[in-house]
């Protein structure tokens, strides 16, 4: 057993080094998609590909059984300023493997891939589907949004992101509102016109004190922050238009669409959402995923960051090797022991979920 773990960890390190060496910025992941497809094909996993998403089903897939999705993303952001190393040259120093995407989320990609290969021929009371997705960092139209319809029915998901192998059971959603207050221009000295800036300020004060009736048991209240404002063309002209931006962190207490409508009722300004697709995720404490995480010794928490969980209309849990604090930073790295711990942790989780599923019948 220990020999198998060391082999899987060594293979994961080798695959991660190859991923780092292939630039895979969001919407340009062709090279890493090809690498992952070939890696799975060489091991008999019969992968499929849609755009730059790669996925495979475990053997003995039975539509009558529930399906667990194992998902992580192989795209990266562009390198942050301040790199002291070539971000595309995998470098090992001590117990650290440096390179862009090593932590977010290459470590999860390779550990989930090894987990899938280890379990894909073993009997389970649920189906396994591995999906290594593209465009997660930009939530693009050719990433998980395109892949989900191709996968068929999914009942639950384990999403690989750097969480130090602790279990994120919730994420807030996000709606960005572009707001416009409209007034009437006039000469400032004559006190003419209707000041759009004052209308906006009244709305901003309202947003600072607004409390929604329902509060999520897991995620808490909806969060509202005004983050940008712009008005006026010159000092002696009453502005007839004021634009401001509102960052809204949504919860499972309301849909994103309901949240937008509730806010619109409170404002004089026009409020237009940029998108409503980044939805909150909240996993019930007694869901098998959550029970399996606790049985595997994981601490549960609410994640401050978003992931492809926001696009999944089914229960999901986020967990993976690495540390979110390293994501999108210069000289990104993952510790080599974290990869072995990731493979072990995922294996323990799958075994715990198997016992939960059998217990529930």
């Amino acid at each position: 057993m220990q020999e198998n773990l060391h082999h899987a960890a060594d293979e994961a390190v080798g695959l991660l080094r190859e991923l780092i060496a292939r630039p895979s910025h969001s919407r340009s992941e062709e090279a890493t998609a090809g690498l992952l497809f070939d890696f799975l094909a060489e091991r008999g996993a019969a992968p499929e590909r849609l755009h730059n998403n790669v996925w495979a089903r475990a053997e003995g897939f039975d539509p009558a059984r529930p399906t667990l999705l194992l998902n992580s993303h192989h795209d990266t952001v562009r390198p942050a300023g301040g790199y002291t190393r070539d971000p595309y040259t995998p470098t090992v120093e001590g117990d650290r493997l440096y390179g862009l995407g090593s932590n977010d989320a290459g470590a999860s990609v390779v550990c989930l891939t090894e987990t899938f290969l280890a379990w894909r021929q073993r009997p389970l009371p649920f189906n396994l589907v591995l999906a290594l997705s593209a465009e997660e960092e930009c939530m693009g139209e050719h990433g998980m949004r395109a892949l989900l319809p191709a996968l068929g029915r999914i009942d639950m998901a384990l999403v690989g992101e750097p969480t130090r192998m602790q279990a994120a059971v919730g994420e807030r959603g996000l709606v960005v509102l572009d707001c416009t207050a409209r007034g009437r221009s006039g000469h400032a000295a004559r006190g003419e016109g209707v000041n759009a800036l004052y209308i906006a300020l009244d709305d901003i004060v309202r947003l600072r004190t607004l409390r929604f009736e329902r509060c999520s048991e897991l995620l808490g209240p909806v969060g509202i922050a005004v983050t940008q404002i712009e008005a006026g063309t010159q000092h002696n002209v009453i502005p007839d238009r004021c634009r401001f931006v509102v960052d809204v962190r949504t919860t499972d207490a309301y849909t994103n669409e309901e949240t937008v409508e509730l806010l619109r009722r409170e404002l004089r300004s026009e409020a237009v959402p940029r998108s409503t697709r980044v939805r909150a995720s909240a996993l019930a404490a007694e869901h098998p995923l959550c029970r399996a995480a606790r049985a595997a010794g994981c601490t549960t928490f609410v994640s401050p960051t978003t992931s492809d969980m926001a696009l999944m209309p089914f229960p999901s849990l986020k967990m993976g090797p690495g540390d979110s604090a390293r994501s999108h930073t210069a000289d990104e790295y993952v510790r080599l022991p974290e990869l072995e711990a990731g493979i072990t942790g995922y294996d323990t989780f799958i075994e715990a979920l198997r016992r939960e599923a059998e217990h529930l019948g």
Side-chain angles (χ1 to χ4, degrees):
M1 184 69 178
Q2 196 68 19
E3 184 178 340
N4 291 340
L5 174 60
H6 289 322
H7 171 75
D10 288 344
E11 192 170 67
V13 172
L15 178 58
L16 182 52
R17 292 175 70 106
E18 291 194 60
L19 287 170
I20 292 168
R22 292 163 170 78
S24 55
H25 309 143
S26 295
R27 297 192 173 96
S28 300
E29 312 95 343
E30 294 84 359
T32 50
L35 170 66
L36 292 166
F37 184 95
D38 291 345
F39 183 87
L40 290 167
E42 288 166 5
R43 286 150 184 82
E48 300 182 61
R49 180 170 171 175
L50 176 65
H51 304 298
N52 290 326
N53 306 288
V54 177
W55 81 97
R57 293 182 174 88
E59 292 188 11
F61 189 94
D62 182 356
R65 291 198 303 256
T67 296
L68 170 66
L69 175 67
L70 305 178
N71 164 248
S72 190
H73 67 95
H74 59 99
D75 64 314
T76 72
V77 295
R78 293 187 177 275
Y83 259 87
T84 63
R85 300 167 173 83
D86 181 349
Y88 309 110
T89 299
T91 306
V92 175
E93 295 181 13
D95 71 348
R96 296 180 177 184
L97 172 57
Y98 288 91
L100 180 63
S102 56
N103 178 77
D104 183 14
S108 293
V109 167
V110 299
C111 289
L112 279 175
T113 298
E114 290 295 333
T115 300
F116 173 78
L117 292 173
W119 283 91
R120 73 183 187 89
Q121 294 178 312
R122 295 163 65 178
L124 284 169
F126 46 83
N127 301 306
L128 279 185
V129 174
L130 174 70
L132 307 174
S133 52
E135 300 192 12
E136 187 273 347
E137 295 290 2
C138 64
M139 290 201 171
E141 64 276 14
H142 293 143
M144 184 57 68
R145 292 160 59 190
L147 181 57
L148 277 178
L151 294 178
R153 193 194 78 198
I154 301 293
D155 297 280
M156 52 189 169
L158 171 60
V159 177
E161 290 279 353
T163 68
R164 297 181 295 172
M165 288 307 290
Q166 303 308 311
V169 295
E171 292 180 347
R172 287 172 176 266
L174 171 64
V175 174
V176 178
L177 293 176
D178 289 308
C179 299
T180 304
R182 302 184 188 279
R184 188 176 71 252
S185 61
H187 199 298
R190 295 171 58 88
E192 296 172 340
V194 177
N195 198 322
L197 182 54
Y198 293 162
I199 296 172
L201 289 176
D202 287 343
D203 281 345
I204 291 169
V205 169
R206 178 63 182 138
L207 291 173
R208 289 188 66 183
T209 59
L210 182 62
R211 298 294 180 269
F212 286 85
E213 181 180 349
R214 300 197 298 269
C215 182
S216 168
E217 183 177 343
L218 179 65
L219 302 177
V222 173
I224 305 171
V226 177
T227 55
Q228 294 174 275
I229 189 167
E230 176 187 13
T233 56
Q234 56 194 69
H235 77 89
N236 58 355
V237 177
I238 297 296
D240 64 353
R241 186 171 301 182
C242 179
R243 299 182 180 90
F244 59 100
V245 176
V246 186
D247 179 292
V248 185
R249 301 293 165 156
T250 59
T251 75
D252 58 316
Y254 299 89
T255 67
N256 285 357
E257 291 79 8
E258 288 172 333
T259 303
V260 170
E261 287 308 309
L262 287 169
L263 289 171
R264 280 174 168 163
R265 293 175 199 169
E266 300 291 335
L267 304 178
R268 289 180 63 190
S269 303
E270 177 187 14
V272 179
R274 296 180 186 178
S275 168
T276 57
R277 67 173 178 266
V278 183
R279 301 184 180 277
S281 178
L283 187 64
E286 292 308 307
H287 190 278
L289 287 174
C290 200
R291 292 171 64 92
R294 294 196 300 269
C298 300
T299 300
T300 60
F301 71 103
V302 173
S303 174
T305 60
T306 58
S307 69
D308 271 339
M309 285 209 307
L311 304 176
M312 296 177 180
F314 40 78
S316 55
L317 179 147
K318 181 169 72 176
M319 180 172 68
D323 189 332
S324 180
R326 301 179 205 142
S327 300
H328 304 181
T329 62
D331 294 336
E332 181 183 347
Y333 70 89
V334 67
R335 295 178 60 243
L336 297 178
E338 290 174 330
L339 296 175
E340 188 166 308
I343 294 169
T344 303
Y346 283 144
D347 186 76
T348 302
F349 176 83
I350 297 292
E351 177 60 32
L353 186 61
R354 180 190 66 79
R355 291 196 300 268
E356 282 293 326
E358 290 178 346
H359 174 72
L360 293 172

